[in-house]
Amino acid sequence: MRFPHPLTLLVGAVFVAALASHVLPPGEYERRDDPATGRRVVVPGTYHAVPPRPVSAFDTLVAIPRGMSDAAPVIFFVFLIGGAFTVVDETGALRQGVDWLVQRLGHSERLVIPAAALAFALGGVLDNMKEEIIALVPVMLLLARRLGLQPVIAVAMSLGAAAVGAAFSPINPFQVGIAQQLAQLPLLSGSLFRTAFLLAALAVWIFGTLRYAARGRTAPVSAPGPGAGGAGSLDPRRATVLALVLIAFVVLVAGVRRGWGFNEMAALFFTMGVVAGLVGGLGVAGTADALVSGFRSMAYAGLLIGFARAIFVTLEQGRIVDTLVHGLFAPVAQLPLGLAAVGMMVVHTLVHVPVPSPTGHAVLTLPILVPLSDLLGLSRQVTVLAYQYGGGLCELLTPTNGALMAILAAAQVRYEDWLRFALPLLAALLALGAAALGLGMALGLQ
């Protein structure tokens, strides 16, 4: 099976969303401002029909630039972080750093894959790292080539591990944090339970990645010659550049904790790129040339993010986002308690396709599900777990996840090749999530 080109796939999804606005009955929930989260959330039990607003063919096309406009902060962040890391790459620091790492770890994927996956998983656990990974794809590809691994392994070590870390995180503010606020649960409650299943989930992902890597090796690419600094060596200038990169990520985590958005993060990485270029010996003109080259290389990734956003824009314009949510969750109330918890997780996976934002997904669904879970006698903590595992794991495969599509494009990995790798592991992780829900119910997790 060969999937269409990513742009074709996303444009087709936009038109399917527009067609759905002609077929599905439009409806909306009422919204209110929630003082606990500072966001507008739905009011349970207020779903009602609204006048139809089917999306015309021309409006469907207009939704594409509207999607790019809506996603502008993310797109420009990708441009600027891509430019910054191209500057770092032009200094030779990334190549020397990768060669140094491979030299120390003995060209063994059994050491490199777990180490890289755990590093990216930590980013997912702490701050839902996604778009930030796009600019790191060339580094991961270089590392994979040095070890003779397929490009799909580079994506698995980075985005895949980060998505698993975010889905099972005990502290991710954009998923479990806001979900617990909406469910009126103490922040960080249930952390020990979540951490145990986080470790199990990462073990599943890393084992699956190692197994796939062993089945499809390629010839390792040799390290560059002395002109790039020598294999396995790291001179002081390039070591300083890598230290700047590390400092930038430390500042990023601290900034996100203080409420930074994409504009602040973009400014941080632009500054890092300029300083790295000057420290790395590129000079002003060389740094500017590298930035421009980086902007050019990120153009396709930025387009994919905008096209993915256009799908949600089309559904929202057709007034059927709430219809989809209402129609999917209504049958859950008719299930036995144990199946209701698993049903919530499965439905969250489906809802995350049209609503790929973790925060948007939470404020749309949890105000509906928390009262429902109270009526069913289902613990609110288990309800939050169902949201985390269902919506979070969907990040691994939904084409409406602009970061996923952009990273696959940057790594030149076909979508169907990624599905071939990720689907068996996704099934195992969903089964693990279902086991966590069952155990949470058995333990009376509150």
Side-chain angles (χ1 to χ4, degrees):
M1 180 176 61
R2 186 179 179 88
F3 273 69
H5 189 281
L7 275 182
T8 306
L9 182 65
L10 292 175
V11 171
V14 173
F15 276 93
V16 168
L19 180 62
S21 71
H22 292 262
V23 177
L24 297 178
E28 291 180 353
Y29 288 99
E30 294 179 9
R31 261 79 169 171
R32 62 175 177 82
D33 293 323
D34 181 29
T37 62
R39 300 175 185 274
R40 288 188 64 78
V41 299
V42 302
V43 179
T46 61
Y47 179 80
H48 58 280
V50 294
R53 194 166 62 192
V55 182
S56 68
F58 182 71
D59 286 338
T60 304
L61 297 174
V62 172
I64 294 173
R66 282 187 59 201
M68 293 180 182
S69 177
D70 279 7
V74 182
I75 294 172
F76 288 118
F77 169 70
V78 168
F79 272 109
L80 289 171
I81 195 175
F85 274 92
T86 299
V87 171
V88 174
D89 187 47
E90 287 295 318
T91 68
L94 293 180
R95 282 162 286 176
Q96 278 197 4
V98 168
D99 293 335
W100 180 87
L101 179 65
V102 171
Q103 186 78 9
R104 296 301 181 277
L105 296 179
H107 295 76
S108 173
E109 69 270 14
R110 292 189 176 274
L111 295 175
V112 174
I113 289 176
L118 289 173
F120 280 97
L122 181 62
V125 168
L126 293 175
D127 72 345
N128 203 46
M129 175 184 275
K130 284 194 304 185
E131 287 80 4
E132 299 90 330
I133 297 172
I134 296 173
L136 297 174
V137 169
V139 186
M140 300 307 296
L141 285 174
L142 181 61
L143 179 60
R145 291 190 187 107
R146 291 279 192 274
L147 297 171
L149 302 175
Q150 299 177 68
V152 71
I153 300 300
V155 181
M157 289 188 293
S158 54
L159 177 71
V164 174
F168 286 84
S169 171
I171 57 175
N172 181 347
F174 301 102
Q175 287 185 323
V176 65
I178 193 168
Q180 287 184 328
Q181 284 182 307
L182 290 166
Q184 298 179 339
L185 293 169
L187 291 179
L188 304 183
S189 58
S191 292
L192 185 61
F193 184 89
R194 285 181 170 82
T195 300
F197 279 92
L198 167 65
L199 296 176
L202 289 175
V204 169
W205 186 261
I206 292 171
F207 173 77
T209 304
L210 285 169
R211 185 179 179 185
Y212 195 92
R215 294 206 314 256
R217 296 185 59 84
T218 61
V221 176
S222 59
S233 65
L234 195 60
D235 64 63
R237 171 174 279 185
R238 293 180 175 88
T240 303
V241 171
L242 292 179
L244 285 171
V245 174
L246 179 61
I247 291 169
F249 274 101
V250 172
V251 175
L252 171 70
V253 173
V256 169
R257 297 288 174 180
R258 294 173 60 90
W260 277 12
F262 284 106
N263 291 332
E264 290 81 3
M265 291 190 290
L268 169 67
F269 282 105
F270 176 72
T271 303
M272 181 206 77
V274 171
V275 175
L278 298 178
V279 171
L282 297 182
V284 175
T287 301
D289 286 339
L291 284 169
V292 172
S293 177
F295 298 158
R296 189 181 302 117
S297 67
M298 289 291 110
Y300 179 38
L303 278 175
L304 290 177
I305 292 171
F307 274 72
R309 178 65 181 177
I311 300 169
F312 177 76
V313 168
T314 306
L315 292 170
E316 190 175 46
Q317 185 177 346
R319 310 176 89 173
I320 57 173
V321 174
D322 290 5
T323 299
L324 291 170
V325 172
H326 179 74
L328 287 170
F329 278 115
V332 172
Q334 311 303 320
L335 297 174
L337 192 58
L339 290 179
V342 177
M344 283 185 183
M345 184 182 71
V346 173
V347 173
H348 276 300
T349 303
L350 299 175
V351 168
H352 203 70
V353 176
V355 189
S357 163
T359 303
H361 183 157
V363 300
L364 176 61
T365 60
L366 284 173
I368 304 168
L369 291 179
V370 168
L372 175 61
S373 65
D374 290 344
L375 289 173
L376 294 175
L378 186 65
S379 130
R380 293 188 176 191
Q381 199 71 259
V382 171
T383 302
V384 171
L385 288 173
Y387 153 74
Q388 270 191 268
Y389 300 155
L393 291 175
C394 187
E395 298 264 273
L396 288 169
L397 63 92
T398 174
T400 55
N401 179 358
L404 169 64
M405 301 305 290
I407 289 168
L408 292 177
Q412 297 183 340
V413 174
R414 296 201 306 265
Y415 184 59
E416 60 267 33
D417 291 339
W418 173 250
L419 290 183
R420 190 177 299 115
F421 165 82
L423 277 175
L425 291 179
L426 176 64
L429 291 172
L430 287 172
L432 180 65
L437 297 180
L439 182 60
M441 293 173 61
L443 295 176
L445 188 65
Q446 298 295 327

